[in-house]
């Protein structure tokens, strides 16, 4: 529509005043992005190179991860109705908030990452907002990389029947992660993202096939088969009821899977035509809906109350677990590299600023970049060892940070964009009410969500936990 308005404005100037204003604003924004891309023409390393198709692949590669195979477990806690409602509702909300994020980025082409966005969202104290968001960005990404270090060791332990110390496998995973993270632009990472999504797709397909063909599951969190009875599913909440802590953790697990907006500003900043981002977002959301619902429905139908997170932990035969889990190794490293790229690029920008080393193949530029990447993975390696239950800590990170990056920030952006006309028309009023609900949901995640995450950690630590830097296996 905007493109048509711009063409009409250029050719015959027959627009209404409102249409003319929209066209002129869009023309200015596009010109700004084109100017920013033109500035890189003489640079050795060019960042604004992503097409919307490659952005889609990059984003999809981020979402096609091991956490998808935990969806059947969430459904085993919530039942069919609540599980489908939470999955569908979160998907629609995250698509909408991501669209608002793009609108805000188009108004602020100078923003290169989520920290720059935070500074523009809170203009009364931009420096404080920037620095606090920077801390959240780094913690969120490094904890997620730590989770992937932990997961890499779990995969290698499973494949080798615990053939080496867990800490050795974590070192191996971290070294591979550093090597994959060396490219400085997301364009190069997008190529690896295709391979990652393909491998994870094979792992998902094998897991669903094995779920359907095995005689019965091996075990679930309620005990070995058939202690919890024959495999069954529930339309409503299972009996006995899961309780507030388990129920909300299942919701957080689904929410964590949908929320990825922390990386979106970095992707938009590296697109050739940022105005095409809605195309990538629409394609991504459609792919996610199909994938998430298929995994949830098939996995829960065949495993029922015995579904584990990930679901291959329920498989009866070791060869099933190994053959499915083997393909997860590639996405484990590549997704870790994506989060490493964003975190490292933020630190890199703070260290080198706008100097020539930031965009040239100089010894200083590459030396600083590699040093930062190694440091990020080294910290993640420590976290992957020190924290014995990364799943619980991912829940607490989701509650603490995804509440802002997935919900609160974009409700605030909507209020800024529509200031003075929040209740101008019935449709605008409906959207305003919806954004108030989104804003409140973000704080609900931050409050009760943190509470349930901490309660789950306390419960896990009351039992046996793996000691840090140990040879004890973490295989499934």
């Amino acid at each position: 529509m905007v493109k048509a308005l711009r063409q009409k404005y250029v050719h015959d100037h027959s627009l209404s005043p409102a249409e003319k204003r929209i066209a002129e604003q869009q023309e200015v924004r596009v010109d700004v992005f084109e100017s920013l891309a033109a500035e890189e023409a003489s640079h050795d390393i060019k960042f604004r190179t992503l097409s919307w198709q490659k952005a889609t692949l990059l984003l999809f590669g981020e979402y096609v991860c091991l956490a998808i195979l935990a969806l059947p477990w969430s459904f085993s806690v919530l039942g069919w109705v609540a599980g489908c409602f939470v999955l569908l509702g979160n998907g629609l909300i995250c698509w909408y908030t991501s669209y608002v994020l793009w609108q805000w980025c188009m108004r602020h082409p100078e923003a290169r990452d989520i920290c720059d966005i935070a500074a523009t969202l809170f203009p009364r104290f931009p420096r404080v907002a920037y620095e606090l968001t920077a801390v959240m960005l780094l913690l969120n990404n490094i904890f997620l990389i730590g989770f992937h270090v932990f997961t890499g060791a779990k995969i290698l332990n499973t494949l080798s029947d615990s053939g080496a110390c867990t800490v050795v496998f974590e070192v191996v995973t971290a070294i591979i992660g550093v090597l994959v993270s060396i490219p400085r632009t997301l364009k190069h990472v997008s190529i690896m993202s295709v391979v990652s999504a393909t491998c994870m797709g094979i792992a998902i397909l094998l897991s669903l096939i094995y779920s359907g063909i095995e005689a019965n599951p091996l075990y679930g969190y309620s005990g070995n088969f058939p202690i919890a009875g024959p495999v069954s599913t529930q339309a409503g909440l299972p009996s006995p009821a899961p309780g507030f802590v388990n129920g909300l953790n299942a919701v957080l697990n689904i929410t964590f899977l949908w929320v990825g907006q922390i990386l979106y500003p970095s992707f938009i900043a590296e697109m050739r035509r940022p105005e095409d981002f809605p195309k990538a977002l629409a394609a991504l959301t459609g792919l996610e809906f199909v994938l998430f619902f298929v995994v949830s429905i098939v996995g829960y139908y065949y495993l029922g109350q015995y579904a584990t997170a990930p679901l291959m932990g329920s498989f009866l035969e070791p060869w099933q677990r190994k053959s499915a889990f083997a393909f997860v190794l590639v996405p484990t490293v590549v997704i870790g590299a994506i989060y490493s790229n964003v975190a490292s690029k933020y630190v890199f920008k703070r260290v080198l600023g706008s100097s020539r080393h930031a965009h040239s193949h100089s010894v200083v530029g590459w030396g600083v970049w590699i040093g930062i990447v190694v440091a990020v993975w080294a910290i993640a390696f420590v976290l992957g060892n020190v924290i014995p239950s990364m799943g619980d800590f991912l829940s607490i990170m989701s509650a603490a940070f995804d509440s802002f990056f997935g919900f609160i920030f974009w409700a605030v952006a909507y209020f800024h964009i529509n200031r003075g006309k929040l209740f101008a028309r019935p449709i605008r009023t409906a959207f305003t009410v919806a954004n108030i609900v989104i804003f409140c949901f973000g704080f609900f995640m931050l409050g009760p969500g943190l509470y349930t995450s901490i309660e789950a950690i306390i419960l896990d630590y009351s039992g046996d936990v793996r000691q840090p830097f140990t040879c004890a296996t973490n295989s499934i």
Side-chain angles (χ1 to χ4, degrees), residues 71-145:
L71 284 170
W73 170 79
S74 292
F75 271 60
S76 74
V77 175
L78 300 172
W80 285 117
V81 175
C84 288
F85 176 80
V86 172
L87 187 59
L88 177 63
N90 266 289
L92 292 175
I93 290 173
C94 286
W95 170 80
Y96 170 72
T97 55
S98 299
Y99 186 82
V100 173
L101 179 160
W102 168 76
Q103 289 181 311
W104 190 255
C105 287
M106 292 299 289
R107 284 166 170 76
H108 296 276
E110 75 280 2
R112 294 297 303 242
D113 53 41
I114 194 69
C115 305
D116 291 335
I117 293 294
T120 61
L121 285 173
F122 302 98
R124 292 188 179 182
F125 41 90
R127 195 66 199 176
V128 174
Y130 183 93
E131 298 297 345
L132 288 177
T133 304
V135 172
M136 290 193 291
L137 169 69
L138 293 175
L139 284 175
N140 181 81
N141 285 21
I142 293 175
F143 265 82
L144 282 167
I145 298 166

Side-chain angles (χ1 to χ4, degrees), residues 63 67 140 144 251-260 394 398 402:
Y63 281 101
N140 181 81
L144 282 167
V251 173
L252 286 175
N253 179 77
I254 295 174
T255 304
F256 169 79
L257 193 58
W258 276 108
V259 173
L394 283 176
S398 176
D402 287 351

Side-chain angles (χ1 to χ4, degrees), residues 55-66:
T56 302
L57 295 175
L58 187 62
L59 290 167
F60 192 56
E62 174 206 348
Y63 281 101
V64 184
C65 61
L66 185 62

Side-chain angles (χ1 to χ4, degrees), residues 2 12 37 41 59 61 85 102 142 184 194 226 228 274-275 304 331 373 413 426 456:
V2 172
D12 59 23
L59 290 167
F85 176 80
W102 168 76
I142 293 175
R184 283 160 65 175
V194 175
E275 62 269 29
V373 169

Side-chain angles (χ1 to χ4, degrees), residues 359-380:
H359 53 73
S360 64
H361 292 296
S362 67
V363 174
V364 172
W366 277 107
V368 171
W369 173 257
I370 293 173
I372 292 170
V373 169
V374 171
V376 165
W377 279 92
I379 298 171

